[in-house]
Amino acid sequence: MHASDALTEADRLMTVCNSCRYCEGLCAVFPAMEMRRSFGDGDLNYLANLCHACGACYVDCQFSPPHEFNVNVPKTLAIVRAESWELYAWPGFLAGLFRRNGVAIALITAISVAAFLFLFMRAGDVAMVIPADAPASFYRIMPHNVMAGLFGGAFAFALLALVMSLRNFWLDIGEPVTTLAAPKPLWQAIRDASTLRYLDGGGVGCFNADERPDDRRRFYHHLTFYGFLLCFAATSVGTLYHYLLGREAPYPLWDLPVVLGTLGGVGLIVGPIGLARAKRQRLPDMVDKSRSGMDVAFILMLVLTSVSGLALLALRSTPAMSGLLALHLGIVFALFVTLPYSRFVHGLYRFAALVRYAREREVHR
Amino acid sequence: MTHASVDVLVIGGGNAGLCAAIAARRAGASVHVVEAAPKFYRGGNTRHTRNMRCAHDSATEILSGPYTEAEFYEDLLRVTQGNTNEDLARLMIRESKDILNWIVDQGVRWQPSLGGTLSLGRTNSFFLGGGRAMLNALYLTAEKLGVTFAYDSEVVDLELEGGYCRAAIIKQPDGSQRIEAKAVVAAAGGFEANIDWLKEAWGPSAENFLIRGTPYNRGTLLKMLIDKGVAEVGDPTQCHAVAIDARAPKFDGGIITRLDCVVFGIVVNNRAERFYDEGEDIWPKRYAIWGRLVAQQPDQIAYILFDAPSLNLFMPSLFPPIEAPTIPALAEKLGLDSAGLEATVSAFNTAVRPGTFDDKVLDDCRTEGLTPPKSHWARKIETAPFYAYPVRPGITFTYLGVRVDGDARMQMADGKAAENLFAAGEIMAGNVLGRGYAAGIGMTIGSVFGRIAGREAASHARQ
Ligand SMILES: Cc1cc2nc3c(=O)[nH]c(=O)nc-3n(C[C@H](O)[C@H](O)[C@H](O)COP(=O)(O)OP(=O)(O)OC[C@H]3O[C@@H](n4cnc5c(N)ncnc54)[C@H](O)[C@@H]3O)c2cc1C
Ligand code: SF4
Ligand code: SF4
């Protein structure tokens, strides 16, 4: 007995695939499946999070719909995956955020932006019109320590929630903690994740609209992911500047935080938009339509973060600065606090699943 | 009726048809492929395949060791018991070496042998993603080269006289079409999905056969060609048939209804009697005889019986085995006579000699004083729970075909060569495969003769 219809269907499919195995060379999911003969909920959740949704096993399957066996691995695993995120969410009472994710994230963002605007207004009219090139003008609107405290707090909460969720996942799939500290699987997983090894349909590129492969999704995902990392690096460098060197934002255009942030910001605009477009073109049969709100919400949050950040950079010496700052901070704050309840978590669980897969490969060799 | 014309018309969009289309197009001809099935079911049986047998002189990245032409030919002689055309067989084997690379140039990708098929790691090359991936790659390449396709397009008539084919009549959902062609390649598969035809050859028992592949290989083209004077080759009862799960659908159940557990237990018919040595030889060598054996049993059904220790020794399959705590309870579930089944099992158990069980080799676990014997892997069936799989004959593909020469050109019944008619794949498999089977040879026949047929058809069209 499985906990949901999707898990029951996934069990059926894995039984079909295990008697077929034709897709074994396409990705990590099928070899991982072959190491098992029966599939509990934890096994299926593991396999689902290991799947990169490249679509190859759908267009390559002789039993995909309209065949009566109705084998649709990408879609079924997408549903199982999304359901598992809800299951792992910490604290548990926030799991519901996954259900109406688009609405939830929109609301939280709106509230967050409004709160920042309100705080800024309270800081008084004077602050609102200080030009940015006056020293430390960002922090005249909002003292650096307040800003750091607020965001540090949001970040710490997100981190804690993510760690606890990951723990739930790890317990569910029944893997010992020690695996996460084993250097070889960890390194293998870092390589597989950073290259998106399994988002290539077994070598030709992933599949979107039909049985013609193309690799655009991997490209756009790279832009998004590395854009995100660059933005994160920009913030980290800025923080180091502030505390170690005593240099305060705003920084000149050529300075590291600005350069990193700009590059990352561009990636975070082009990447998510490309992904959203690819998603729209995908064969509808392969997609878990009921969860598209979650995808859209996360993509929008990334784009908004980036657009507002770049706008802030461009207009920082104009009167629009403080309004934009409030907007940007509001969005970033919302992005942080909702990370553990957004599409973001796919990366976390997929990475963890890759670590486990690398370990299993070692053992089964 | 609409009209069209083309240099080379390829009938059937499977491996053979696509290899022919690509080769003809590369040789400069305009090519149109008509496929009876809708797009999803294109490439009938090719969709279900996983590997191809090609000769090669040394190990490759995906093949664990050399497989020489001589060895391939010996294997073919052995499985067909000499029922092969030596010239064509040797030609096919020679060409298969180059096909290993040619097919990759057409976009097909290889991988090492699949889990559970280690015995084929040296001789057979496996398609990455399976047969449908292979087929998708061929379609993509053909499309890029400018080959055109029509689905839901069955050839229902040929304007064929004296070995010359002027045009084909195609039935489509919204009417019919007459396509004139300078040369025609017939690659429409066998007739395994035509139950009436199977009944002509096998008698009424064919009603109980399951067809493992496409419902669209009904042999319409084959029949047409033979009726219009093309020479036939092979025997209509010869085919590849295995014992598959009786619960499989009538058509298109594919590979996943296969059962690899005969050697681990005993097989009884619906009289609860054994009828053949389950341990005669290692399974890959005996896999393809059990379809025929079950076909000869009453009502064309049999049951593979085994006990708990064997449950996980073989590849999983689609349906779970039927399970019961005792043999009589199992008999009841299967609708067999309990006393009869108990007697059969206990007679078997008594005959089992002690030995050291090893399913990788011909071990010394055998029966004594039992008819038929079980020569290897005989272990008492005594540990509950007990399991059974009901099995029926599953027809993979038929061998009766049209006779061709080394240019894949059809031969007429009067002994002359056809002028512009070529054939490849299942529809001419009987030329090299008179009986028996060696895994992966169906695709070899399709690719090798497909490429030849395409090339020759293009060259004829350009004259
Ligand atoms: C489950 C299964 C597994 C198999 N595995 C392997 C394997 O691993 N290796 C191997 O070598 N062989 C395997 N075989 C055998 C292999 O499938 C065939 O030998 C091979 O596919 C034949 O190729 P083909 O192009 O001749 O025929 P097909 O691929 O069957 O193509 C014939 C096409 O012709 C079309 N057609 C039929 N009649 C008409 C008409 N009148 N007009 C227009 N179109 C028509 C059909 O719709 C079909 O698409 C397997 C078969 C099955 C069923
Ligand atoms: S997705 Fe289809 S082709 Fe791939 S392993 Fe599963 S059943 Fe086989
Ligand atoms: S969609 Fe891609 S990654 Fe997911 S199971 Fe299928 S082939 Fe593997």
Side-chain angles (χ1 to χ4, degrees):
Chain A
M1 270 299 100
H2 292 288
S4 76
D5 292 349
L7 284 163
T8 308
E9 172 66 359
D11 187 1
R12 181 185 77 91
L13 294 191
M14 290 300 106
T15 307
V16 171
C17 293
N18 212 5
S19 5
C20 167
R21 304 190 169 183
Y22 286 10
C23 291
E24 161 185 291
L26 295 178
C27 68
V29 173
F30 296 93
M33 162 203 84
E34 286 178 24
M35 296 175 199
R36 299 164 165 76
R37 243 186 128 98
S38 59
F39 304 93
D41 286 0
D43 297 318
L44 295 167
N45 286 331
Y46 158 59
L47 295 173
N49 280 288
L50 196 53
C51 167
H52 288 47
C54 77
C57 64
Y58 183 79
V59 296
D60 288 353
C61 181
Q62 63 275 29
F63 304 125
S64 53
H67 194 282
E68 66 183 282
F69 290 161
N70 192 25
V71 173
N72 189 338
V73 176
K75 180 173 177 175
T76 307
L77 293 190
I79 300 173
V80 170
R81 196 157 58 230
E83 286 181 0
S84 78
W85 301 342
E86 212 174 293
L87 186 70
Y88 304 139
W90 182 94
F93 67 86
L94 289 181
L97 289 178
F98 272 113
R99 238 161 285 154
R100 306 212 48 201
N101 197 251
V103 180
I105 289 191
L107 264 177
I108 293 173
T109 311
I111 294 171
S112 166
V113 169
F116 275 92
L117 279 172
F118 180 72
L119 278 178
F120 281 25
M121 302 247 256
R122 288 282 303 269
D125 288 345
V126 192
M128 294 296 275
V129 293
I130 287 176
D133 43 12
S137 61
F138 283 175
Y139 305 127
R140 201 165 308 165
I141 299 178
M142 185 174 222
H144 183 269
N145 287 341
V146 176
M147 209 190 279
L150 212 54
F151 281 87
F155 186 65
F157 165 73
L159 205 62
L160 175 68
L162 288 171
V163 169
M164 295 307 285
S165 308
L166 181 63
R167 183 172 172 273
N168 290 338
F169 173 63
W170 214 245
L171 287 175
D172 184 38
I173 67 174
E175 185 69 14
V177 202
T178 44
T179 303
L180 276 175
K184 260 169 75 187
L186 208 57
W187 175 234
Q188 183 64 46
I190 289 174
R191 281 178 23 203
D192 294 346
S194 60
T195 54
L196 291 176
R197 173 166 171 194
Y198 298 115
L199 193 60
D200 73 344
V204 285
C206 57
F207 293 79
N208 288 323
D210 52 23
E211 72 288 337
R212 295 175 186 78
D214 61 52
D215 211 7
R216 283 172 313 186
R217 254 187 325 137
R218 179 150 67 159
F219 172 71
Y220 288 124
H221 193 288
H222 277 326
L223 286 184
T224 309
F225 177 68
Y226 290 103
F228 189 85
L229 280 192
L230 285 175
C231 289
F232 196 74
T235 314
S236 310
V237 172
T239 309
L240 291 179
Y241 273 18
H242 188 92
Y243 286 110
L244 292 183
L245 307 179
R247 289 182 52 195
E248 292 195 351
Y251 302 105
L253 286 179
W254 48 262
D255 211 344
L256 205 51
V258 182
V259 173
L260 291 175
T262 310
L263 282 178
V266 172
L268 263 190
I269 294 175
V270 182
I273 291 178
L275 284 176
R277 256 193 38 213
K279 187 111 192 169
R280 270 226 330 270
Q281 294 164 345
R282 285 199 98 189
L283 265 177
D285 301 356
M286 281 199 281
V287 182
D288 170 18
K289 275 275 166 29
S290 64
R291 301 265 184 347
S292 50
M294 168 156 44
D295 301 339
V296 175
F298 188 54
I299 281 173
L300 261 180
M301 286 305 282
L302 292 177
V303 174
L304 284 178
T305 304
S306 179
V307 169
S308 62
L310 290 174
L312 183 60
L313 177 67
L315 303 175
R316 62 186 181 176
S317 25
T318 72
M321 185 276 277
S322 60
L324 279 173
L325 183 61
L327 183 70
H328 183 59
L329 294 181
I331 292 168
V332 174
F333 188 83
L335 177 72
F336 271 150
V337 293
T338 58
L339 271 192
Y341 316 103
S342 73
R343 185 89 170 66
F344 171 83
V345 297
H346 80 276
L348 182 74
Y349 298 126
R350 188 161 296 154
F351 179 76
L354 282 169
V355 176
R356 188 213 210 172
Y357 176 65
R359 215 257 336 166
E360 284 189 329
R361 288 295 289 231
E362 264 182 12
V363 176
H364 273 258
R365 211 189 306 264
Chain B
M1 172 138 42
T2 59
H3 296 264
S5 73
V6 69
D7 288 348
V8 175
L9 177 68
V10 176
I11 304 170
N15 171 44
L18 267 286
C19 287
I22 290 172
R25 184 76 196 111
R26 287 201 189 277
S30 66
V31 182
H32 185 62
V33 179
V34 286
E35 163 60 63
K39 184 174 176 192
F40 173 80
Y41 286 98
R42 71 185 186 185
N45 277 354
T46 300
R47 282 169 46 238
H48 287 290
T49 64
R50 55 186 179 188
N51 62 34
M52 172 148 118
R53 182 178 288 252
C54 293
H56 47 278
D57 290 327
S58 52
T60 71
E61 236 169 80
I62 53 131
L63 288 157
S64 60
Y67 185 51
T68 61
E69 287 182 45
E71 190 184 351
F72 192 159
Y73 185 67
E74 272 165 36
D75 285 345
L76 186 64
L77 271 188
R78 186 171 42 76
V79 298
T80 59
Q81 298 171 5
N83 272 299
T84 184
N85 174 323
E86 175 164 0
D87 293 340
L88 291 179
R90 288 199 186 274
L91 167 75
M92 177 188 83
I93 292 170
R94 191 163 61 244
E95 291 262 321
S96 76
K97 280 177 151 175
D98 187 47
I99 284 291
L100 211 45
N101 302 316
W102 184 81
I103 207 88
V104 171
D105 294 339
Q106 315 316 318
V108 174
R109 296 174 300 149
W110 299 122
Q111 70 158 80
S113 71
L114 293 176
T117 60
L118 264 186
S119 60
L120 297 172
R122 182 171 65 87
T123 53
N124 289 38
S125 308
F126 284 71
F127 309 122
L128 182 68
R132 190 162 169 230
M134 182 267 186
L135 198 62
N136 286 344
L138 292 183
Y139 269 90
L140 210 58
T141 301
E143 190 180 270
K144 280 187 190 143
L145 291 170
V147 173
T148 56
F149 303 98
Y151 303 109
D152 294 302
S153 300
E154 185 188 2
V155 169
V156 288
D157 200 8
L158 292 174
E159 292 176 16
L160 166 59
E161 224 172 300
Y164 180 77
C165 181
R166 182 178 308 279
I169 309 299
I170 323 286
K171 195 177 99 208
Q172 289 171 324
D174 46 1
S176 56
Q177 190 183 23
R178 177 177 179 275
I179 301 183
E180 261 182 40
K182 292 181 183 149
V184 172
V185 177
F191 66 92
E192 57 276 355
N194 188 334
I195 307 287
D196 290 335
W197 196 341
L198 291 177
K199 279 207 262 189
E200 275 173 38
W202 287 80
S205 70
E207 196 66 62
N208 287 327
F209 293 178
L210 301 173
I211 314 306
R212 304 176 68 208
T214 181
Y216 294 92
N217 283 2
R218 303 180 37 80
T220 40
L221 187 64
L222 178 60
K223 185 149 253 159
M224 229 178 281
L225 289 166
I226 294 173
D227 288 349
K228 290 179 192 270
V230 178
E232 63 175 65
V233 62
D235 167 347
T237 65
Q238 288 303 325
C239 60
H240 183 261
V242 299
I244 62 169
D245 200 306
R247 296 163 288 184
K250 184 77 180 170
F251 293 102
D252 220 53
I255 196 80
I256 62 180
T257 59
R258 152 195 102 286
L259 289 166
D260 294 333
C261 51
V262 165
V263 295
F264 298 108
I266 59 172
V267 184
V268 300
N269 58 21
N270 64 6
R271 315 266 149 90
E273 288 159 356
R274 289 175 63 249
F275 52 88
Y276 199 82
D277 183 350
E278 299 89 350
E280 190 176 47
D281 204 342
I282 57 163
W283 181 238
K285 290 198 178 158
R286 285 295 168 269
Y287 175 55
I289 69 167
W290 281 87
R292 203 164 278 278
L293 289 173
V294 175
Q296 287 153 4
Q297 299 310 307
D299 303 324
Q300 295 71 53
I301 188 145
Y303 304 88
I304 309 173
L305 255 58
F306 57 94
D307 63 351
S310 298
L311 184 62
N312 289 334
L313 296 182
F314 49 92
M315 273 274 287
S317 86
L318 178 62
F319 300 100
I322 295 163
E323 181 187 325
T326 62
I327 294 289
L330 190 61
E332 195 160 319
K333 276 191 172 171
L334 301 175
L336 300 180
D337 173 38
S338 329
L341 190 63
E342 247 191 323
T344 301
V345 171
S346 73
F348 170 77
N349 284 350
T350 325
V352 168
R353 296 296 88 178
T356 320
F357 179 81
D358 184 348
D359 58 334
K360 303 289 177 300
V361 297
L362 294 173
D363 72 2
D364 60 351
C365 297
R366 56 186 179 79
T367 58
E368 224 171 71
L370 190 70
T371 1
K374 185 174 177 189
S375 314
H376 304 280
W377 313 293
R379 291 193 294 178
K380 287 185 180 157
I381 299 176
E382 56 186 5
T383 315
F386 301 95
Y387 298 98
Y389 283 107
V391 289
R392 283 199 185 279
I395 310 295
T396 317
F397 73 98
T398 51
Y399 297 171
L400 176 80
V402 290
R403 186 180 293 282
V404 298
D405 66 9
D407 287 342
R409 188 185 296 269
M410 287 183 213
Q411 307 296 300
M412 304 305 289
D414 61 12
K416 288 204 218 78
E419 194 177 333
N420 65 344
L421 277 168
F422 303 85
E426 267 180 27
I427 201 169
M428 48 68 68
N431 286 273
V432 283
L433 207 55
R435 60 182 298 164
Y437 191 68
I441 215 170
M443 294 298 277
T444 317
I445 295 173
S447 289
V448 167
F449 287 101
R451 182 168 71 153
I452 296 175
R455 197 172 60 208
E456 295 303 321
S459 121
H460 177 87
R462 279 208 317 269
Q463 276 165 19

